[in-house]
Amino acid sequence: MEDLTQKILESVDEQRGRMKEIADKIWELAELGGKEFESSAMLMDELERGGFAVERGLVGKSPGTGAACDMPTAFKATLGDDGGPSVGIMLEYDALPNGHSCGHNLIAAAGLSAALALRSVFDKIPGRLVVMGTPAEEGGAPGKTEILHAGHFGNLDAVIMAHPSDRWNTGSRFLSIVQPKGGGIVFRGAPSHASSEPERGRSALDAVLVFCNGIEFLREHVRDGSRLHYVITNGGEAPNIVPDFASVNIYVRSEYPDELERIKKRVDDIIRGASLITDTTYEYEWDFPWYSPIKAPAFYALVEECAGIAGVARDEFIDYDSFGSTDAGNVGLEFPLVHLDFRIAPLGTNWHSGDSAEASRSEEGVCGMIKASKAMALSLYRIVADPGVREKIKKDFVSGKNG
Ligand SMILES: [Zn+2]
């Protein structure tokens, strides 16, 4: 069979200018999670032009499972057909309130570029490539978990995405995380004149403060490798009005899924306690937790080898365990996953900051994105072309799932 390696590499290089334009445009738009209308439309248009069949917006009941999705900025683009291996690429394109400081504009461009470069493979080998547009990784709307539960991923032999970083890495572990849906935890009390009739007021802000204190006391009694962090998102309007509305948002994370569950129950108790102490009411609902993916050593090795072909030196790969979390983790519990970190900035660069936002539209950012795109495309090419590679990846996944 003809070796398509060179063709894939050339294809990524040829598209470099266009991919930079797309990455920069998404950077400028900086659309928040669930509101990435222009960014996702641009990606869908490119994929359609590239010959993909695109489901624009994952809204309503999934034909496969009947489960509902409500994500107008999610999409599914498919190339090829059933009857051969099936592989996936995930794109993200949401910004944070301080812009593209996590570089998801480059995730989108790297994945798009890899997908377009793989067209030559699917012309020659039976199989299917699914490009999944996954909104709101940073919060704000349901993300990959809902797409997964609705069955849109189908059945994949492997799935990959590339995330910008200050280093290259294939197998970093993530923390499990659970967070309340939407605006976090809401407390409601009763307003009154804070000075002339304080006895008539019930302060929702007091409830938030008691809650925060409860979390601080809990912090000492959680297993190492756990994290609790919160922000007060509404603390009232004026000192002379007893606040009848206040809200707080919290993320609970842990290395251990069972510890996450235990901490979550204690947070439930703290919320109830805060409401009882302050005679207020509360509303919240936990979102579905995200977990760490199943380890995929053979897939990691394959991607590292392909990154080498794309010009990444072996010593640029740095082992580390991220203390972040991602909804890609849940996808990695269903299918073999590589969440490839690629370097766009010097080691030690502060993430979610102005520095990482600048790196996400820098020349170094584009260089990293191109190499990541080549590494992803070559890896998926080998998975599709070589049953032996697929078998090794599957073996790891099955033993990881069982043990
Ligand atoms: Zn990110």
Side-chain angles (χ1 to χ4, degrees), residues 227-239:
R227 298 271 195 275
L228 294 145
H229 29 229
Y230 54 81
V231 287
I232 297 175
T233 45
N234 189 318
E237 283 174 315

Side-chain angles (χ1 to χ4, degrees), residues 12-13 29 31 35 47-48 55 94 117 130 143 149 166 175-176 191 195 210 212 238 251 294 315 332 369 380:
V12 173
D13 284 330
L29 288 166
E31 294 171 299
K35 300 190 169 65
L47 286 160
E48 252 167 17
E55 260 179 75
D94 58 323
V130 176
H149 289 171
D166 62 347
L175 297 184
S176 297
S195 185
V210 173
C212 294
Y251 289 0
I294 289 172
D315 62 7
M369 183 264 283
L380 294 187

Side-chain angles (χ1 to χ4, degrees), residues 92 94 96 101-104 107 137-138 161 163-164 325-326 339 351-352:
E92 293 173 4
D94 58 323
L96 284 150
S101 60
C102 204
H104 292 187
I107 299 180
E137 194 274 337
E138 304 284 6
M161 63 173 285
H163 193 297
S325 310
T326 171
H339 186 278
W351 225 251
H352 285 193

Side-chain angles (χ1 to χ4, degrees), residues 129-150:
L129 171 62
V130 176
V131 180
M132 199 63 80
T134 65
E137 194 274 337
E138 304 284 6
K144 296 178 188 64
T145 311
E146 193 161 308
I147 299 173
L148 191 66
H149 289 171

